[in-house]
Amino acid sequence: MKYIHILIFMCLLSGITACNEDKVFENEQYKTVFALVSNDDYNIFQVVHDLDQPESVGYVSASCGGTKSSEKDIEISLVQDMEAFDDYNTSNYDVDVSSYARLLPENRYDIDSYNLTIPAGERNGRMTIRIRPDGLSPDSIYFIPVKIDTYSAYEVNPDKSNVLYRVLIKNQYATQESPTNYTMRAYRGTMQIPGQKTMHPISRNKVRIMADNITFQADIDDINTNGIILEITEENKVLISPVKDLNVTQVDGDPDFPNIFRIENTGYKKYKTFLLRYNYVDKNGVTQQMKEELRLEFTE
């Protein structure tokens, strides 16, 4: 009989413990927690802005977690977050100040209000940022750093309470989001040179490449010494000029390499194609005669 009483007591105790654990789980499951949306350990959220548009819109977004949506509005106020910005630079580049990310210049964007709302019954809210990307460098990292300052209800995830909003640029020929590598079929004099050429967006109708088959390096001196600007006109003619120091001359009149940009459609694939003809003086003072076909497969 005593054994039966002990067994009943243990079952009751087990039931109470299970109920308590269920209650804790239920409270955790239904807890309303919100966070700013970002992608990695540094809370970066990157958006590609098109140089074809004088101004384009991006967002800093907040999202509400839990199995239920919020029962009341969550009013969130944001402020600039220089601490997170400085931490990114020192953690990634230490004393290499030349590689540091930059604050997006104030004349390149507008934020009408640093407030956002997650309405009751919904899961998301966002703050609008209007970006003017023309003039930004494809070699730099630009951030708008913000963090949550105050909020009206519930809890914020402390690990997701800030965002480094990164501005990337693109045009119809190249993007900063990932390396844009054109397949190259080139001739230096009579010598054929296969390979790839990396292209960077500069403005709405300008891109940058390196001369010959010189490999791109993210070094300003190397870019100034060996870089070429291609300007594409409304008629898809290409005008060739140096980034800075390279002695380069556009050569017109070659029927096979007439300094044009065109879209090629084979019926199965589409290609963006540059046909270039130029001379440049190399580091040894020798004039090199270049003919280049650059092709990039793409989908609409």
Side-chain angles (χ1 to χ4, degrees), residues 44-226:
I44 295 172
F45 185 73
Q46 60 184 35
V47 180
V48 183
H49 290 270
D50 197 334
L51 291 162
D52 285 341
Q53 303 176 31
E55 184 174 274
S56 54
V57 174
Y59 303 97
V60 168
S61 299
S63 181
C64 192
T67 56
K68 291 183 178 180
S69 56
S70 62
E71 296 179 352
K72 51 188 172 181
D73 290 353
I74 306 174
E75 305 285 349
I76 302 168
S77 176
L78 304 176
V79 293
Q80 192 178 58
D81 188 7
M82 288 303 301
E83 182 179 354
F85 176 76
D86 292 337
D87 179 62
Y88 173 88
N89 279 329
T90 54
S91 297
N92 285 280
Y93 306 111
D94 195 19
V95 296
D96 183 13
V97 178
S98 63
S99 297
Y100 274 21
R102 303 180 183 184
L103 291 173
L104 186 68
E106 291 184 0
N107 65 344
R108 301 292 182 188
Y109 72 97
D110 288 315
I111 298 175
D112 296 330
S113 173
Y114 277 82
N115 300 313
L116 63 89
T117 301
I118 303 176
E122 299 185 17
R123 292 194 174 275
N124 301 294
R126 60 190 188 181
M127 179 186 78
T128 302
I129 304 177
R130 291 181 284 117
I131 303 292
R132 293 177 289 279
D134 189 43
L136 299 180
S137 169
D139 307 309
S140 296
I141 298 171
Y142 296 100
F143 285 135
I144 301 173
V146 295
K147 66 179 179 180
I148 294 174
D149 183 32
T150 62
Y151 53 94
S152 64
Y154 302 110
E155 294 183 27
V156 61
N157 180 343
D159 295 327
K160 290 290 184 178
S161 62
N162 73 289
V163 163
L164 295 174
Y165 181 96
R166 183 178 179 185
V167 177
L168 301 174
I169 58 175
K170 72 171 184 177
N171 58 23
Q172 63 176 304
Y173 315 102
T175 179
Q176 190 187 11
E177 186 175 18
S178 58
T180 304
N181 294 319
Y182 280 69
T183 300
M184 181 175 72
R185 177 180 66 88
Y187 296 89
R188 185 193 305 121
T190 58
M191 181 184 299
Q192 187 169 1
I193 309 169
Q196 287 189 328
K197 180 160 289 194
T198 303
M199 187 174 291
H200 295 93
I202 299 297
S203 68
R204 179 185 64 81
N205 66 331
K206 291 182 180 180
V207 292
R208 187 188 68 210
I209 59 174
M210 303 298 278
D212 206 316
N213 67 338
I214 297 171
T215 301
F216 171 77
Q217 301 180 56
D219 178 85
I220 189 63
D221 291 333
D222 191 50
I223 293 169
N224 287 338
T225 300
N226 299 303

Side-chain angles (χ1 to χ4, degrees), residues 13-28:
L13 181 63
S14 176
I16 293 171
T17 302
C19 286
N20 287 339
E21 289 178 350
D22 287 345
K23 187 65 176 177
V24 169
F25 174 75
E26 183 177 309
N27 289 340
E28 191 68 27

Side-chain angles (χ1 to χ4, degrees), residues 270-281:
K270 288 185 177 181
Y271 296 92
K272 299 177 182 180
T273 303
F274 288 85
L275 296 171
L276 309 176
R277 174 70 179 90
Y278 63 91
N279 296 342
Y280 81 100
V281 179

